[in-house]
Amino acid sequence: MMTLEKLNLQKAYPEYYNAVTKAKIVNLEPSNYITLSGICAPEDPKFLKAIEDLYGLAYHIKFISKGNDLDFVVPKMEGFWWVTGDLPFEETARNDWHWKIIFRMPDFVGKSEYNEAINQMIEKGKATNEHDYVFEEIHEGLSAQILHIGSYDNERETLNQLYQFIEREGFKISGYHHEIYLSDPRKTSEEKLKTILRYAIQ
């Protein structure tokens, strides 16, 4: 019996998922994502439940694709973070932080697989017709990124390196703060966590 080969997006798109501790510029292609958005602190149960729910949707889509002989490894979770108003991010109350959790989807996953997965979740009582999931294309294009090693709460020094690099190269930030979580915080100690920090630039 022939084994179905899984698409590993992390290996298929190294420019997207690889970064080093020195800032660099990348040019990213548009891709489809499943997303879930909200406003709260990252330690809030609402945020933690959103992560669990979006993982659930990702695996429903995976199993549907596998049934169509197109299997894939569920990719690394990512998140966009931003605030509104005049205060900078670090001075804004954590409960007012905006976020969008995202998972990149393979090219062979489209709206039909997404809708089928949503319907399965509704049938199982894991979602309602008023769900907040979104299937959308995101295109950051030209971006600057750097690898941060350590706690999520200690990103300031790494971010300053990235900001200085963007300014030195003659660009301006044109997108939200983007994080790609290469490590699982449940299995990795804080000082060893690896996170790609990225901004779209122009």
Side-chain angles (χ1 to χ4, degrees):
M1 182 176 175
M2 197 165 131
T3 304
L4 181 62
E5 186 176 346
K6 294 181 185 179
L7 171 64
N8 187 326
L9 293 173
Q10 199 168 347
K11 293 180 179 178
Y13 298 96
E15 185 178 50
Y16 188 92
Y17 287 102
N18 288 348
V20 294
T21 54
K22 183 178 179 181
K24 67 174 289 188
I25 292 174
V26 294
N27 197 3
L28 306 168
E29 70 279 1
S31 187
N32 289 328
Y33 297 77
I34 53 171
T35 75
L36 197 53
S37 302
I39 306 172
C40 69
E43 63 273 13
D44 191 296
K46 175 183 174 183
F47 178 72
L48 301 176
K49 185 176 185 306
I51 292 175
E52 183 182 335
D53 290 346
L54 199 60
Y55 261 115
L57 175 57
Y59 275 98
H60 271 82
I61 293 173
K62 168 190 167 64
F63 293 135
I64 288 167
S65 295
K66 186 176 181 179
N68 296 328
D69 294 331
L70 292 168
D71 198 6
F72 66 95
V73 177
V74 172
K76 302 297 184 181
M77 188 182 85
E78 309 175 43
F80 285 105
W81 296 86
W82 68 100
V83 295
T84 57
D86 299 326
L87 290 176
F89 205 102
E90 58 272 17
E91 294 178 28
T92 301
R94 291 167 73 90
N95 286 336
D96 294 330
W97 287 6
H98 292 246
W99 45 264
K100 178 187 283 189
I101 307 165
I102 69 175
F103 285 93
R104 183 171 176 165
M105 290 287 102
D107 291 340
F108 53 72
V109 169
K111 209 63 181 289
S112 61
E113 289 82 9
Y114 163 79
N115 287 333
E116 186 177 348
I118 288 289
N119 289 335
Q120 284 184 7
M121 292 176 71
I122 291 172
E123 288 171 8
K124 294 177 180 179
K126 295 181 179 180
T128 69
N129 289 318
E130 289 75 41
H131 65 82
D132 295 320
Y133 301 107
V134 179
F135 184 85
E136 61 179 301
E137 182 182 88
I138 297 175
H139 183 202
E140 289 182 284
L142 202 64
S143 301
Q145 67 180 31
I146 193 169
L147 180 67
H148 172 70
I149 301 176
S151 167
Y152 305 131
D153 293 327
N154 295 329
E155 292 179 356
R156 176 51 50 193
E157 185 179 336
T158 309
L159 282 172
N160 284 339
Q161 292 180 47
L162 185 58
Y163 297 152
Q164 291 166 13
F165 170 79
I166 292 170
E167 184 177 358
R168 191 165 63 244
E169 294 296 315
F171 292 99
K172 292 183 178 179
I173 291 172
S174 60
Y176 293 138
H177 177 88
H178 183 180
E179 299 185 345
I180 301 177
Y181 307 104
L182 301 179
S183 306
D184 185 340
R186 298 168 301 177
K187 302 175 183 177
T188 310
S189 58
E190 272 197 350
E191 68 273 11
K192 294 181 179 179
L193 290 171
K194 293 183 178 181
T195 309
I196 297 176
L197 307 180
R198 178 182 291 162
Y199 282 95
I201 56 175
Q202 63 181 14

